[in-house]
Amino acid sequence: GAGVSQSPSNKVTEKGKDVELRCDPISGHTALYWYRQRLGQGLEFLIYFQGNSAPDKSGLPSDRFSAERTGESVSTLTIQRTQQEDSAVYLCASSLVPAGGPETQYFGPGTRLLVL
Amino acid sequence: GDSVTQMEGPVTLSEEAFLTINCTYTATGYPSLFWYVQYPGEGLQLLLKATKADDKGSNKGFEATYRKETTSFHLEKGSVQVSDSAVYFCALRNTGGFKTIFGAGTRLFVKA
């Protein structure tokens, strides 16, 4: 497909377990973003990757959260020792123009995480 | 810091009614402004954008004008359709930056 894909679409886990969320950006998009959307709230920026530059991790809420991206391909967001407050929809977006101009971000459908 | 405030939903309208979803922002510098839409079961997608004061973004019958004097970017449509039912997000990004700040979203229901 031509769009951003994410997996799994839904994830239910127990408190304390680790989870890994995956994002496949649109081919050729140099920039990749992760956001978190809690119920009834706006999108909260988590992390930004641009090409081979060091990622901007300033939005990660705690050291339990980490993300990786190899080159301009797949990214994984890992949450260790999950807590109930981690329950949210995790959205990934990619874009062609990395910064500066008002480029369009293309969003994936999200992964809905529920921590019991 | 930068922020976006949009009207709370849900907004329920009958088909062919006029729609306004208010959005105001706080930002340093001269941000670009966006409206994103999320249809049921789909990912967010850009609806329209404006990059400078007095610009009007438009798409699919929706319009929003960048008003610097009132720091607003209200979304309007003259005649809504059932297919417009979705969640609408107002957002901004400051010049030279990459972080996009989103509002909380406004859910729109359009009844036939």
Side-chain angles (χ1 to χ4, degrees):
Chain A
V4 177
S5 60
Q6 293 185 243
S7 61
S9 54
N10 291 281
K11 176 71 177 178
V12 180
T13 190
E14 294 178 348
K15 178 181 172 181
K17 300 278 190 184
D18 297 352
V19 295
E20 191 172 276
L21 313 180
R22 177 186 169 109
C23 172
D24 284 87
I26 293 173
S27 178
H29 279 193
T30 56
L32 187 146
Y33 309 74
W34 282 98
Y35 296 89
R36 177 170 70 179
Q37 184 180 19
R38 289 188 164 129
L39 187 65
Q41 299 184 20
L43 277 69
E44 176 187 3
F45 168 81
L46 297 179
I47 189 169
Y48 162 73
F49 295 91
Q50 163 46 27
N52 293 317
S53 302
D56 184 308
K57 304 179 181 180
S58 60
L60 294 178
S62 77
D63 59 8
R64 296 187 294 104
F65 287 72
S66 62
E68 294 183 351
R69 187 186 187 196
T70 304
E72 297 180 358
S73 61
V74 170
S75 175
T76 55
L77 176 69
T78 301
I79 308 173
Q80 296 178 308
R81 304 181 303 281
T82 53
Q83 303 295 312
Q84 288 181 332
E85 63 262 26
D86 299 335
S87 297
V89 176
Y90 289 83
L91 292 166
C92 175
S94 70
S95 68
L96 191 57
V97 176
E103 86 284 0
T104 297
Q105 293 182 42
Y106 295 85
F107 283 82
T111 293
R112 188 176 301 275
L113 174 66
L114 177 61
V115 182
L116 300 177
Chain B
D2 296 349
S3 67
V4 174
T5 302
Q6 58 183 108
M7 64 189 289
E8 290 187 20
V11 174
T12 303
L13 295 173
S14 298
E15 209 165 22
E16 300 183 3
F18 185 87
L19 168 72
T20 300
I21 300 178
N22 290 339
C23 171
T24 56
Y25 67 90
T26 303
T28 56
Y30 302 94
S32 295
L33 302 174
F34 307 82
W35 276 100
Y36 281 83
V37 60
Q38 186 172 30
Y39 297 105
E42 299 184 17
L44 271 79
Q45 55 187 276
L46 181 68
L47 180 60
L48 53 83
K49 64 185 178 185
T51 60
K52 61 184 187 296
D54 300 325
D55 267 3
K56 177 185 284 188
S58 60
N59 186 24
K60 298 182 180 180
F62 290 88
E63 293 183 339
T65 301
Y66 189 141
R67 300 286 188 200
K68 194 170 188 302
E69 64 276 14
T70 54
T71 61
S72 65
F73 193 55
H74 304 322
L75 182 68
E76 296 182 337
K77 185 173 185 182
S79 176
V80 293
Q81 304 301 310
V82 172
S83 57
D84 294 326
S85 298
V87 182
Y88 293 82
F89 293 89
C90 185
L92 71 82
R93 184 168 64 248
N94 241 320
T95 306
F98 59 84
K99 289 183 184 179
T100 302
I101 309 298
F102 286 83
T106 302
R107 185 176 296 276
L108 171 67
F109 291 105
V110 180
K111 303 180 297 183

